[in-house]
Amino acid sequence: MNTISPSTFYKEEASNYELTVRIIKAQNIHGTDIVSKPDCYVCLWLPTSLSDRKRTKTIWNNANPDWDETFHFRIHSQVKNILELSMHDEDVGTADDHLFTVCYDLGNVPLNENVVENFTLNKEFQEELQVEFNLTIIPESQKKVTTNGVLVCPEMVALEIEVQKQRKELFKKKTELALTVRGSFEQSHRILLHPEACHVLNSRETAVFHFPRDLGTEMTAALCRVYSSFDVTFTNDTENDGSNHTTVPLSLISPTENYIDVQVPAIEGNPMGMQIKLNECPEKLDVRLGFDLCEKEKIFLQKRRKLVSNTLKKVLQLEEDLLGEEIPVVAIMATGGGARAMACLYSHLYAIQNMGLLDCVTYIASASGSTWTTSKLYEDPNWSHNKLSEAINNVKKHVTKNKIGIFSMDRLKYYRKELQQATIDGQKTSFTDLWGLMLESMLNIGRNESRLSDQQAALDNGQNPLPLYLAMNVKHNTISTLDFKEWCEFTPYEVGLLKYGASIRTEDYGSEFYMGRLMKKHPEPRICFLQGLWGNVFSLNLVDTWYLTTQLDTFWDTWVKDRIKDIDKEDIRVRRESAHTKTRLFTPSGIFSRVWKGVLTNRPIDGEQHNFLKGLYLHKDYHQQSQFTTWKDSNLDSFPNRLTPLADNLCLVDAGYFINASFPPLLRPQRKVDVIISFDYTLDTPLQAVEQTCNYCTTQGIGFPKVSLSDEERKTHRECYVFNDDDNNNCPIVLHFPLVNDTFKKFKEPGVLRSAEEMSDGNVDVTGAFSPYFLTNFTYSERDFDRLMKLTQYNLANNRELILDALHTAVQRRKARNLSPEIKQTEAQKKI
């Protein structure tokens, strides 16, 4: 692999291979039938080849079936190719029984050698499947592909088809031309050919298909009858018996050739003619492949540094200006917590502003309910330089107002109209979008037209911190969040999946992509739809609920974990390079377990979005790329066929379902964050999120200070915790502010005791079961709201010195890090 910075994309030499797979035989197969021997067949699925699923014939009533059938695939040398071989027991009248699936890395097959593998399906019964593989290079197929070390984008071409409409008398009945290109973005086109539409001899219609040039596919064209009944039109494809369609292998056509004539056998009369041509597509991608920050964020950071430097010099009373890399990066991290998190973040930002520290902050990361605050604030391009007391008064009106109106008939009609329009605009609407519209009604006056990309205006001059919003990509069903989740980051500039190093412009979120290109532009969704996605408290499945309430994830393993094991033999281990994945055997569970698993892991209320990774492939060495390994944290990361690039849609949910915090965007090494001011709005477990983050980062090898708490510290919560790793200057200093009521009970301001009449104002219940700030409460009394604001502002002001100390330490570390080796040595000698 090219030795180049992992933050960039680059070109890599690639070839195409011809793969031959011969299914030889199996032995000692035990089917599910008690009274008879199994009726076995084998299915082959290689999703990276664009081929349909292939299958052998069925060998009836035989425990030792002998097939000796050969299949061919065209594959790409730089792509991770995993062949799935599944064995089934055919049943008449009922669904076939799935016995086994073997996942085999084709990187184990050397070029120009026949390799015979005996896959052990069951050691106890000596069940085996014997398969022969052969791999040859396709001559003159070498090309350069674009990759970032994790994803690969092969060359794209466009198939242009021109259809000349026939004379009226050639079609006595309505006829349709069905065009299909497997593995293309468009998949199929249908062109109506009927007497009314075909009165002009030389009129033409065109159809275009976009697909990967090097992976070998074909175009199929067929004529079908079209029937109408009671204003319903349908096509009868069953009339196609193979005599009235034609298939063209597209790998045989060169993009440099002129139009090629193709004849489609007609249902009646003469064959229908059309012309096809391949056109090369521009190399420029609309998906940014790379782990570095985007250019707009880099420009923002340059502008923001000047303001941060001046503010730090003032608040820390420094004698000299901070320049360049001497300027520390300070970030705010906010957890979720519904309306409680939204209100508290307003209050905390107001307190930071009053302390003169808001212009020291470069990033504000939020998740779940706290995203409702930042997404509203950034409607004002100059919000951090206006007094935030006005914003707090505004949110107070919404939090304290009666919410019954969101269920009025007028609002329900409005929701329906908006969802219908969103569908027309290309969104995949769901309950998540309805929840977003309900939030809009609760938190705004009237319709909110703003969009996430509009927030760029608040960053043009570096005048505000850069907002980072966090969500998670999960599987819609069959897999819990614990077993599969991928961090998805939203900024006013880009939306990206951290693990894959792939991002799109925020303006293009919700549009359809293929092979890194923007294929179908849809309007960017309004901010309320994103608020519903980021803060959707209704997308939990039962396993997620169990984990969040108990923090135990082993109870359900028997029911929801797949039975998978490594079946590599020694000769494969010797032959396999370190980059190749293990050969794995999947044994499906029984019907009861499958039904129970579906109940536990299905997400009845969530939404799916267009997958902007669609059409990209995983690099053959993807799981060795350092950036990918930093963020991979599930078993599925070793199963490329089940990862996001091969998924049709994204399933984005509230990030709080795993860890109720928004740390991940701030821990990207490219952002170089030195100090994180962590605001935790959890009621009962205010230290849980930071402990979970520490454990997660330790496992993943991400720099994060050690969080070690005694049992007593977990019982009695302080207003502020400082977590710092003196031995690792690359770890950020974390100042963690839980939502607690400690000295506020006696002090109304730092150092100012309450009078006897004011003692009741200090009784703010943020821990009890009957706290007015529970998660699903969206309406507070004015008194409860005001007391919550005063509590959070007091806690921050009471620990101002801890914040200043952390900023001092960050400045010293930055200065020490930027000293030349000679100066460092001199300074060390002075200390000695």
Side-chain angles (χ1 to χ4, degrees), residues 278-296:
L278 278 186
N279 298 314
E280 294 182 346
C281 294
E283 288 189 3
K284 187 176 184 302
L285 302 183
D286 299 303
V287 175
R288 186 174 70 86
L289 296 182
F291 295 91
D292 203 359
L293 305 178
C294 70
E295 289 303 314
K296 287 187 176 181

Side-chain angles (χ1 to χ4, degrees), residues 706-734:
K706 185 177 181 181
V707 178
S708 181
L709 301 168
S710 65
D711 292 338
E712 184 62 30
E713 287 176 313
R714 289 190 177 89
K715 293 177 183 177
T716 306
H717 302 132
R718 302 200 303 264
E719 294 168 350
C720 180
Y721 296 82
V722 179
F723 301 111
N724 187 14
D725 191 342
D726 293 326
D727 298 326
N728 186 357
N729 288 343
N730 292 321
C731 285
I733 301 169
V734 176

Side-chain angles (χ1 to χ4, degrees), residues 20-27 29 40-42 44 56-57 59 62 64-71 85 87 114-119 128-134:
T20 303
V21 182
R22 184 164 71 100
I23 307 298
I24 303 175
K25 62 181 180 179
Q27 62 182 26
I29 302 301
C40 295
Y41 64 91
V42 175
L44 301 87
T56 66
K57 60 180 178 292
I59 305 297
N62 193 331
N64 300 287
D66 190 339
W67 293 282
D68 195 23
E69 292 187 50
T70 301
F71 303 90
L85 302 163
M87 186 179 294
N114 288 336
V115 175
V116 177
E117 303 284 16
N118 291 291
F119 299 114
E128 282 193 349
L129 173 65
Q130 188 178 82
V131 183
E132 182 184 67
F133 300 91
N134 182 271

